[in-house]
Amino acid sequence: MVARLEPDGTHDTGFGSDGLATVGYGQAQTNDFANGVGVDGQGRILVGGHTGEGFAEEAGYELAVARLQGGDDTPPETYLTYDGDQPPPSSTRDPTPTYAFGSPEPGATFECRVDGGAFAPCTSPYTTPPLADGVHGVEVRAADRAGNVDPTPAHQDVTIDTTGPDTAIDAGPQGTTDAAQIVFQFSSPEGSVRFECRLDGAPYAACESPYTTAPLGELPLTFGHE
């Protein structure tokens, strides 16, 4: 009888029946039998012995690796999240983004890396080292108690952008105008931006180019954008 135990000393119920498995022993030359049992570093049972069919021809000791009931050679899966259960963002202003991760495999351990570097042990949540502006790759892989490692680590590309975009007013009146409403056009050299406008120091509000003001009185006007 062979048992596999959890770290706390209880039986690992995923192994055999209630944590136990039976290995047959015997001496009859006509039967298969085992005369040595061990456990390797991956939790596999190593059974040494002879096969009954080849016993008469076998002069030495035949070693067989037996994956008994509950043997695990399936690599674990790894999932990656950000800020709770939300999908990781594709871009952020934070140069040290933090990721949460896990695996359906109980007792799994994890390794992380950034930009193809060496994997290193990590725990969830994981905060990256400071990253320069640009695109970076974050990877996490799980390993189970049997030593199987996820061959397809969870991966996320993230663009770090800590620099604010430039904005230019391309068209609009300067000096004095007798128009009751004024139209401004503006742009930014950076793609995928949004704009906010304000008049005379009022709070900024979302806007688009071209921007037409509300009817204006005869007062000095300052137009701002960001």
Side-chain angles (χ1 to χ4, degrees):
M1 185 73 71
V2 179
R4 186 164 70 190
L5 304 179
E6 299 282 9
D8 63 2
T10 61
H11 284 165
D12 178 357
T13 57
F15 174 74
S17 175
D18 296 328
L20 303 174
T22 301
V23 179
Y25 287 79
Q27 297 298 326
Q29 296 185 8
T30 57
N31 297 326
D32 296 342
F33 69 91
N35 56 16
V37 177
V39 182
D40 71 5
Q42 296 183 7
R44 296 178 300 185
I45 305 301
L46 303 180
V47 179
H50 296 266
T51 62
E53 181 180 359
F55 182 84
E57 292 81 20
E58 291 290 338
Y61 181 80
E62 179 181 311
L63 181 67
V65 177
R67 301 296 287 239
L68 300 183
Q69 296 180 8
D72 181 6
D73 59 3
T74 302
E77 294 292 333
T78 315
Y79 59 81
L80 186 65
T81 63
Y82 180 91
D83 190 19
D85 59 356
Q86 300 300 312
S90 58
S91 62
T92 178
R93 293 183 296 176
D94 183 0
T96 56
T98 298
Y99 296 89
F101 47 83
S103 173
E105 184 90 8
T109 57
F110 300 91
E111 294 181 318
C112 300
R113 71 176 179 181
V114 178
D115 294 337
F119 277 106
C122 59
T123 57
S124 180
Y126 166 74
T127 299
T128 71
L131 303 176
D133 281 13
V135 180
H136 300 272
V138 178
E139 291 181 284
V140 182
R141 68 183 183 184
D144 62 20
R145 290 177 298 182
N148 303 303
V149 177
D150 186 354
T152 56
H155 179 97
Q156 174 67 29
D157 287 329
V158 60
T159 299
I160 306 298
D161 184 1
T162 61
T163 304
D166 289 328
T167 314
I169 296 179
D170 303 315
Q174 296 184 15
T176 303
T177 178
D178 58 2
Q181 291 180 284
I182 302 174
V183 178
F184 293 93
Q185 295 182 7
F186 42 87
S187 63
S188 173
E190 185 167 332
S192 301
V193 296
R194 60 181 179 83
F195 295 94
E196 294 181 337
C197 303
R198 70 177 180 178
L199 293 172
D200 293 334
Y204 278 104
C207 61
E208 296 181 356
S209 181
Y211 172 78
T212 302
T213 69
L216 303 172
E218 295 183 2
L219 295 172
L221 170 67
T222 301
F223 177 69
H225 58 83
E226 67 175 15

